[in-house]
Amino acid sequence: MNETEISIKNFSLYIENRQILKNISVDIPKNQITAIIGPSGCGKTTLLRSINRMVDLYTPVLAEGEIIINGKNVLDPDINLSLLRKNVGMIAQAPNPLPLSIYDNVVYGLRIHGIHERSALDTRAEQCLQSVGLWSEVHDRLKDPASQLSLGQQQRLCLARALAVEPEILLCDETTSALDPISARHIENELICLKNDYTIVFVTHILRQAKRLADYVVFLYLGELVEHGPAHEVFTNPQDPRTKAYLEGVFG
């Protein structure tokens, strides 16, 4: 039995009085890649951004239920959002490096959390750039602007920046959709390696990608959780006719 990292219980979300997510309950397994799949507009990204409360940044929301991480409900009003987002990192759809050097991008979060010793920053920067396969490409130009990197390199830099503060969970919102196929595959390979140390939740609209990456699958439709389970079971023997229809390309 796989250990649970995130436990979502009877979770509903309203934005401007419109219900986006409806009574979702699912346990996200630890040290696996969980893919959230479903057609456009079904609530995939909203659910993902609810896990670290990033959904709160854009518009007033009303949330019901629980999202439990490390024994705490992240929806509680007294939750420390800075610590939550340190523990639950996010990689966006398009690369979003800060207007800083390559080095300063990686260590940005460390400095925010009070780490300023140069040797500690240097060590962590190299570790994180190594872990995303970028160190050999940039080690001799760490002072260059991050904007000079290719899109694929920028996305790997953003991944390194997220890893630098040592999160337990990584949220990936269609993280490869803006990249060329080679860069996208590089990111996929990195995520497969990283799941040994992190729990990864990955939103994707590409079924082929979900089948390559996912250990566990969550299928949403019109804001509802239709089906979830080990990837091989959902993909080969879906239990709900809506899941079967989506996997067969009837809609999406």
Side-chain angles (χ1 to χ4, degrees), residues 10-63:
N10 304 313
F11 178 63
S12 297
L13 189 89
Y14 301 79
I15 298 178
E16 297 178 346
N17 297 318
R18 185 165 63 96
Q19 188 168 12
I20 307 300
L21 298 171
K22 305 171 184 177
N23 198 37
I24 291 174
S25 294
V26 62
D27 289 337
I28 305 296
K30 185 180 179 69
N31 292 120
Q32 293 192 21
I33 297 178
T34 294
I36 303 177
I37 63 171
S40 296
C42 70
K44 300 187 298 293
T45 292
T46 301
L47 178 59
L48 188 79
R49 290 178 174 268
S50 296
I51 294 172
N52 68 348
R53 297 275 302 275
M54 290 292 285
V55 72
D56 297 26
L57 296 177
Y58 302 105
T59 186
V61 301
L62 172 64

Side-chain angles (χ1 to χ4, degrees), residues 114-169:
I115 299 173
H116 300 287
E117 183 184 350
R118 183 69 190 210
S119 62
L121 296 177
D122 288 351
T123 298
R124 192 67 185 139
E126 181 174 349
Q127 287 174 342
C128 293
L129 290 169
Q130 289 274 19
S131 69
V132 301
L134 202 52
W135 176 254
S136 63
E137 300 171 30
V138 303
H139 67 90
D140 57 350
R141 53 186 180 125
L142 295 176
K143 294 182 180 180
D144 289 357
S147 58
Q148 292 183 2
L149 298 174
S150 70
L151 279 180
Q153 289 174 322
Q154 287 182 23
Q155 194 65 303
R156 282 187 280 154
L157 178 65
C158 293
L159 181 54
R161 185 179 68 204
L163 296 178
V165 295
E166 299 183 295
E168 295 179 13
I169 299 164

Side-chain angles (χ1 to χ4, degrees), residues 178-248:
L179 306 181
D180 64 88
I182 293 174
S183 297
R185 197 56 185 264
H186 199 136
I187 291 284
E188 288 183 8
N189 291 338
E190 298 302 333
L191 293 177
I192 290 170
C193 294
L194 289 170
K195 73 179 181 181
N196 293 317
D197 299 306
Y198 304 90
T199 296
I200 298 171
V201 187
F202 194 102
V203 163
T204 181
H205 66 280
I206 304 172
L207 281 175
R208 295 185 308 278
Q209 183 176 58
K211 290 176 180 179
R212 287 195 299 268
L213 288 178
D215 303 296
Y216 200 83
V217 170
V218 172
F219 173 57
L220 299 183
Y221 181 63
L222 298 178
E224 296 181 7
L225 174 59
V226 173
E227 188 165 347
H228 63 92
H232 63 91
E233 293 180 9
V234 173
F235 287 137
T236 61
N237 188 30
Q239 299 301 300
D240 190 286
R242 291 169 293 179
T243 313
K244 187 173 187 292
Y246 177 71
L247 295 176
E248 290 176 349

